[in-house]
Amino acid sequence: MAPCKRTTSTLCLLVAAAASSTLVSAQTYPSRPIRLVAAFSAGSTSDILARIIGPKLHESWGQPVAVENRPAAGGVVAGEIAARATPDGQTLMITSSGFSASAALYAKLPYDSVKDFAGVAQVATGSTVLVAAPAIGVKSVKELIALAKSKPGQLQYGSAGIGSGAHYVTELFRLAAGITVTHVPYKGAPEYLNDIAAGRLPFGFSPIPSTLSFINSGRVTALAVSGAARSHVLPNVPTVAEGGLPEFSYSGWYGIFVAAATPRRIVNQLSNEIGRIIALPEINSAILKQGETPQWIGAVAFDKMVHADIATRRKVFSAAGVKPE
């Protein structure tokens, strides 16, 4: 910038002050309340994690964190909100690995799952649990498979929407078991768990945090967990592999995203702060009590993991012959 002349010194001072004010504003984050969009309904794992992490972000930065549930279409509605948000880091989305599943399944979404988002951090991983309605009388994976084979195409299962994590894991299970079952999409896990408990829906896979109260109250029958090892909160429930499908294993992830054009400085600040929060003993304990495993992965590595996950899920959906309904 050219030096100011005496006759324009006042104007130059005003310009310099404005520029300085803009710089300070740009470097102050967050500058107002944070909107944390949860991709699934109240009581879902994404919602539970949002309400564990949100208060700590508020403590860190002094800005309120408002959790906003926007369930529908397997997380696509929340994804559209996050992708179109002003890229200033004030709007975050917390979602599950259903994000990858939707990207793998749908040829057209209201956003580009790779180009329109910046991954901030993975916050947790976790197994799902296979549950059945007590009314159908099955007590094991083998009994469920036998029932499904005796009634091809007649048994229905629920998920949090087409392309959700529960949809994906059940298709993996269907392929491994060699059964034909019918998918019924819901807004979130609490909704289809209520129908399983009431006997209106035979079975489904669900994230453990959303399902614990249903299992502990006896409203649903826990048949198996999907991960490679038993869950620390369901130690008496076998894995699907133990139940008769020895090669089967699935665990999902949960993570936070912002709009792609968000300045890298803000993305990194967010990622590091979330990493600090996840490492806190009380947050570790809170997540573990829900049946999930706290696990932070930083922004760059998280992005790479999600992109690879989309490619893997695309292959599975193709092999299963799954198409958007």
Side-chain angles (χ1 to χ4, degrees):
M1 179 183 292
C4 291
K5 297 180 180 179
R6 291 177 182 271
T7 56
T8 58
S9 59
T10 300
L11 177 61
C12 285
L13 286 171
L14 289 172
V15 170
S20 175
S21 175
T22 300
L23 180 61
V24 169
S25 176
Q27 291 177 342
T28 302
Y29 173 82
S31 60
R32 60 184 186 280
I34 294 171
R35 182 187 188 191
L36 180 52
V37 180
F40 298 100
S41 56
S44 67
T45 305
S46 297
D47 171 70
I48 291 168
L49 290 170
R51 296 178 193 279
I52 290 173
I53 295 168
K56 286 297 181 182
L57 286 173
H58 172 55
E59 286 180 17
S60 299
W61 291 329
Q63 291 288 356
V65 178
V67 177
E68 180 181 327
N69 297 95
R70 295 304 295 265
V76 173
V77 170
E80 184 173 10
I81 291 169
R84 294 183 177 180
T86 302
D88 56 6
Q90 300 288 158
T91 298
L92 317 179
M93 175 180 68
I94 184 164
T95 188
S96 71
S97 45
F99 177 87
S100 296
S102 293
L105 182 57
Y106 290 102
K108 291 185 179 180
L109 288 169
Y111 50 78
D112 186 308
S113 302
V114 173
K115 295 180 180 179
D116 290 344
F117 297 90
V120 173
Q122 175 183 283
V123 297
T125 62
S127 183
T128 58
V129 57
L130 174 61
V131 297
I136 68 171
V138 301
K139 302 292 186 182
S140 68
V141 169
K142 287 182 178 179
E143 289 180 6
L144 177 63
I145 292 172
L147 180 62
K149 286 185 175 179
S150 72
K151 299 180 177 181
Q154 294 182 45
L155 288 193
Q156 296 178 320
Y157 72 90
S159 84
I162 300 167
S164 65
H167 183 199
Y168 177 77
V169 66
T170 313
E171 288 302 316
L172 279 178
F173 177 75
R174 184 181 71 77
L175 285 173
I179 58 176
T180 302
V181 290
T182 301
H183 179 216
V184 181
Y186 289 74
K187 285 187 176 182
E191 288 80 4
Y192 66 84
L193 286 168
N194 278 321
D195 273 3
I196 292 173
R200 292 187 291 267
L201 192 71
F203 78 101
F205 279 90
S206 178
I208 290 175
S210 309
T211 321
L212 276 176
S213 64
F214 287 85
I215 295 170
N216 292 337
S217 64
R219 297 174 64 197
V220 300
T221 303
L223 305 182
V225 294
S226 64
R230 295 191 181 197
S231 169
H232 58 276
V233 295
L234 295 170
N236 296 322
V237 178
T239 65
V240 173
E242 290 176 301
L245 298 176
E247 301 301 319
F248 190 92
S249 178
Y250 170 82
S251 290
W253 54 260
Y254 298 88
I256 294 174
F257 295 85
V258 291
T262 303
R264 182 49 52 176
R265 171 183 58 81
I266 291 176
V267 173
N268 290 339
Q269 183 179 344
L270 260 172
S271 185
N272 291 337
E273 182 59 23
I274 290 168
R276 185 192 70 80
I277 289 170
I278 296 300
L280 293 172
E282 64 268 32
I283 298 299
N284 251 258
S285 177
I287 294 174
L288 285 167
K289 283 179 181 177
Q290 295 297 327
E292 302 295 295
T293 300
Q295 186 178 61
W296 176 82
I297 295 178
V300 174
F302 180 50
D303 261 337
K304 289 180 179 178
M305 185 205 75
V306 171
H307 299 168
D309 194 33
I310 291 171
T312 298
R313 290 170 189 252
R314 187 171 288 126
K315 292 176 182 177
V316 170
F317 279 136
S318 177
V322 175
K323 297 179 181 179
E325 298 172 17

